Every structure is written in structure tokens, then in C-alpha cells.
Amino acid sequence: MQRAMGYDTMQRLIDNGHAWVMEGSVGREAMYLLEIGACMLPKKSHTDYYGNTIPSRDWLQNGSKGTFHNSVKFYSNVFDND
């Protein structure tokens, strides 16, 4: 579904941690996509450019920003409206 909607590249950057060490606009876009549910955090935590920890999705409460459940909700709404 991410590939069909064009979010697969950003998901790869989030998964490998590169989204957090690139220029600020990339990180801001990643955060927006995590918030709306188009992308999710990986199962492995990462560190950003400034040394802050980016949590894994397993550290978060179900349904919150960056979780698998938040992505399920997003894609369920997208494809239910078609």
C-alpha cells in the first residue's frame, strides 16, 4: 500500500534511520507521515543527528503516532473511501 501511494521511499529512510540524520525537511516530512499513519516506526530504535533517541514502534502505546495500529487505521480509511 505504501508503494501504491508513494510512501515506500520515506518508509525505508525511517526504517534505516537515515530520515533522522538528513536535512531537516526530510525529518519533518517523516514526522508528518508518522503522525497521519502513512508510515510507521521500525522495530529498532535509532538516534537522530543531535543524539536524541527515536523509539521503536514497540516502545509506544498502540494507536499512537508511529505505531503499526496507527498505520492500519490510516490505510483502512484511505481504501474504505475508494
Side-chain angles (χ1 to χ4, degrees), residues 1-10 29 33 36-39 71 74-80 82:
M1 287 188 265
Q2 287 179 329
R3 186 175 297 129
M5 297 185 72
Y7 300 131
D8 56 320
T9 300
M10 183 60 78
E29 179 70 12
L33 295 175
I36 66 170
C39 292
S71 287
F74 173 80
Y75 287 104
S76 294
N77 290 336
V78 167
F79 288 102
D80 284 343
D82 283 347

Short mmCIF file of all heavy atoms in Angstrom, two decimals, residues 1-10 29 33 36-39 71 74-80 82:
data_model
loop_
_atom_site.label_atom_id
_atom_site.label_comp_id
_atom_site.label_asym_id
_atom_site.label_seq_id
_atom_site.Cartn_x
_atom_site.Cartn_y
_atom_site.Cartn_z
N MET A 1 0.82 -1.19 0.00
CA MET A 1 0.00 0.00 0.00
C MET A 1 0.87 1.26 0.00
O MET A 1 0.52 2.23 -0.65
CB MET A 1 -0.93 0.00 1.20
CG MET A 1 -2.07 -1.01 1.08
SD MET A 1 -3.28 -0.86 2.39
CE MET A 1 -2.66 -2.10 3.50
N GLN A 2 1.98 1.21 0.75
CA GLN A 2 2.86 2.38 0.75
C GLN A 2 3.43 2.64 -0.63
O GLN A 2 3.53 3.80 -1.04
CB GLN A 2 4.01 2.18 1.75
CG GLN A 2 3.59 2.29 3.18
CD GLN A 2 4.74 2.07 4.12
OE1 GLN A 2 5.66 1.33 3.82
NE2 GLN A 2 4.68 2.70 5.27
N ARG A 3 3.79 1.60 -1.34
CA ARG A 3 4.33 1.78 -2.69
C ARG A 3 3.28 2.40 -3.59
O ARG A 3 3.58 3.32 -4.37
CB ARG A 3 4.81 0.44 -3.25
CG ARG A 3 5.50 0.59 -4.60
CD ARG A 3 6.08 -0.70 -5.13
NE ARG A 3 7.11 -1.20 -4.22
CZ ARG A 3 7.14 -2.43 -3.74
NH1 ARG A 3 6.23 -3.31 -4.09
NH2 ARG A 3 8.09 -2.81 -2.92
N ALA A 4 2.05 1.93 -3.51
CA ALA A 4 0.98 2.45 -4.36
C ALA A 4 0.73 3.93 -4.11
O ALA A 4 0.37 4.66 -5.02
CB ALA A 4 -0.31 1.66 -4.11
N MET A 5 0.96 4.37 -2.88
CA MET A 5 0.71 5.77 -2.53
C MET A 5 1.98 6.63 -2.54
O MET A 5 1.94 7.82 -2.26
CB MET A 5 0.03 5.85 -1.18
CG MET A 5 -1.33 5.17 -1.20
SD MET A 5 -2.23 5.36 0.31
CE MET A 5 -2.67 7.09 0.21
N GLY A 6 3.14 6.02 -2.81
CA GLY A 6 4.38 6.77 -2.92
C GLY A 6 5.11 7.02 -1.60
O GLY A 6 5.98 7.89 -1.54
N TYR A 7 4.79 6.27 -0.56
CA TYR A 7 5.41 6.46 0.74
C TYR A 7 6.52 5.46 1.03
O TYR A 7 7.15 5.51 2.09
CB TYR A 7 4.38 6.37 1.87
CG TYR A 7 3.28 7.39 1.77
CD1 TYR A 7 1.95 7.01 1.87
CD2 TYR A 7 3.56 8.74 1.60
CE1 TYR A 7 0.93 7.95 1.80
CE2 TYR A 7 2.55 9.68 1.52
CZ TYR A 7 1.24 9.27 1.62
OH TYR A 7 0.24 10.20 1.55
N ASP A 8 6.79 4.54 0.13
CA ASP A 8 7.76 3.46 0.39
C ASP A 8 9.19 3.98 0.56
O ASP A 8 9.93 3.47 1.39
CB ASP A 8 7.69 2.38 -0.68
CG ASP A 8 7.89 2.90 -2.09
OD1 ASP A 8 7.37 3.99 -2.41
OD2 ASP A 8 8.56 2.22 -2.88
N THR A 9 9.58 5.00 -0.17
CA THR A 9 10.93 5.55 -0.03
C THR A 9 11.12 6.16 1.36
O THR A 9 12.13 5.92 2.02
CB THR A 9 11.21 6.60 -1.12
OG1 THR A 9 11.09 5.96 -2.39
CG2 THR A 9 12.60 7.19 -0.97
N MET A 10 10.15 6.94 1.82
CA MET A 10 10.27 7.53 3.15
C MET A 10 10.25 6.44 4.22
O MET A 10 10.97 6.54 5.21
CB MET A 10 9.15 8.54 3.39
CG MET A 10 9.28 9.23 4.74
SD MET A 10 10.82 10.16 4.97
CE MET A 10 10.48 11.62 4.02
N GLU A 29 9.11 15.79 7.23
CA GLU A 29 8.19 15.01 6.40
C GLU A 29 7.96 13.63 7.01
O GLU A 29 6.83 13.13 7.06
CB GLU A 29 8.72 14.88 4.97
CG GLU A 29 7.83 14.08 4.05
CD GLU A 29 6.52 14.76 3.70
OE1 GLU A 29 6.34 15.96 3.98
OE2 GLU A 29 5.64 14.08 3.14
N LEU A 33 4.37 12.03 8.24
CA LEU A 33 3.85 10.76 7.75
C LEU A 33 3.64 9.77 8.90
O LEU A 33 2.71 8.96 8.86
CB LEU A 33 4.77 10.18 6.68
CG LEU A 33 4.84 11.00 5.40
CD1 LEU A 33 5.87 10.43 4.44
CD2 LEU A 33 3.47 11.11 4.73
N ILE A 36 0.24 10.95 10.65
CA ILE A 36 -1.00 10.61 9.97
C ILE A 36 -1.16 9.10 9.78
O ILE A 36 -2.26 8.63 9.52
CB ILE A 36 -1.15 11.33 8.62
CG1 ILE A 36 -0.10 10.88 7.61
CG2 ILE A 36 -1.15 12.84 8.82
CD1 ILE A 36 -0.34 11.40 6.20
N GLY A 37 -0.07 8.34 9.92
CA GLY A 37 -0.15 6.89 9.80
C GLY A 37 0.28 6.33 8.46
O GLY A 37 0.19 5.13 8.24
N ALA A 38 0.74 7.18 7.56
CA ALA A 38 1.19 6.69 6.26
C ALA A 38 2.46 5.85 6.39
O ALA A 38 2.71 4.97 5.58
CB ALA A 38 1.42 7.86 5.31
N CYS A 39 3.26 6.13 7.40
CA CYS A 39 4.47 5.37 7.70
C CYS A 39 4.44 4.98 9.18
O CYS A 39 3.66 5.52 9.95
CB CYS A 39 5.73 6.20 7.42
SG CYS A 39 6.01 6.57 5.69
N SER A 71 -0.94 3.06 11.51
CA SER A 71 -0.88 2.86 10.05
C SER A 71 -2.06 2.05 9.55
O SER A 71 -2.60 2.35 8.48
CB SER A 71 0.43 2.15 9.67
OG SER A 71 1.51 3.05 9.79
N PHE A 74 -4.91 4.42 9.24
CA PHE A 74 -4.74 5.31 8.09
C PHE A 74 -5.12 4.60 6.79
O PHE A 74 -5.93 5.10 6.01
CB PHE A 74 -3.30 5.81 8.00
CG PHE A 74 -2.99 6.58 6.75
CD1 PHE A 74 -3.35 7.91 6.63
CD2 PHE A 74 -2.34 5.98 5.68
CE1 PHE A 74 -3.07 8.63 5.48
CE2 PHE A 74 -2.06 6.69 4.52
CZ PHE A 74 -2.43 8.03 4.42
N TYR A 75 -4.54 3.43 6.55
CA TYR A 75 -4.79 2.74 5.29
C TYR A 75 -6.20 2.17 5.21
O TYR A 75 -6.77 2.09 4.13
CB TYR A 75 -3.72 1.66 5.03
CG TYR A 75 -2.41 2.30 4.65
CD1 TYR A 75 -1.35 2.38 5.54
CD2 TYR A 75 -2.25 2.88 3.40
CE1 TYR A 75 -0.16 3.00 5.20
CE2 TYR A 75 -1.06 3.51 3.04
CZ TYR A 75 -0.03 3.56 3.96
OH TYR A 75 1.14 4.19 3.60
N SER A 76 -6.80 1.82 6.32
CA SER A 76 -8.19 1.38 6.32
C SER A 76 -9.10 2.51 5.88
O SER A 76 -10.02 2.30 5.08
CB SER A 76 -8.61 0.92 7.72
OG SER A 76 -7.90 -0.23 8.09
N ASN A 77 -8.83 3.72 6.37
CA ASN A 77 -9.63 4.88 5.98
C ASN A 77 -9.43 5.25 4.52
O ASN A 77 -10.37 5.60 3.83
CB ASN A 77 -9.32 6.08 6.87
CG ASN A 77 -9.83 5.91 8.28
OD1 ASN A 77 -10.75 5.15 8.52
ND2 ASN A 77 -9.20 6.60 9.21
N VAL A 78 -8.20 5.17 4.05
CA VAL A 78 -7.89 5.52 2.66
C VAL A 78 -8.61 4.58 1.70
O VAL A 78 -9.25 5.02 0.75
CB VAL A 78 -6.36 5.49 2.40
CG1 VAL A 78 -6.05 5.54 0.91
CG2 VAL A 78 -5.68 6.64 3.11
N PHE A 79 -8.50 3.30 1.95
CA PHE A 79 -9.07 2.34 1.00
C PHE A 79 -10.55 2.10 1.20
O PHE A 79 -11.22 1.62 0.30
CB PHE A 79 -8.26 1.03 1.02
CG PHE A 79 -6.92 1.20 0.39
CD1 PHE A 79 -5.77 1.35 1.16
CD2 PHE A 79 -6.78 1.26 -0.99
CE1 PHE A 79 -4.52 1.54 0.57
CE2 PHE A 79 -5.55 1.45 -1.59
CZ PHE A 79 -4.42 1.59 -0.81
N ASP A 80 -11.10 2.45 2.34
CA ASP A 80 -12.54 2.36 2.54
C ASP A 80 -13.28 3.46 1.80
O ASP A 80 -14.44 3.31 1.44
CB ASP A 80 -12.92 2.45 4.03
CG ASP A 80 -12.64 1.15 4.75
OD1 ASP A 80 -12.47 0.10 4.08
OD2 ASP A 80 -12.61 1.17 6.00
N ASP A 82 -12.48 4.60 -1.18
CA ASP A 82 -12.38 4.48 -2.64
C ASP A 82 -13.66 3.97 -3.25
O ASP A 82 -14.48 3.37 -2.75
CB ASP A 82 -11.23 3.53 -3.02
CG ASP A 82 -9.87 4.21 -2.87
OD1 ASP A 82 -9.85 5.44 -2.74
OD2 ASP A 82 -8.87 3.49 -2.90
#
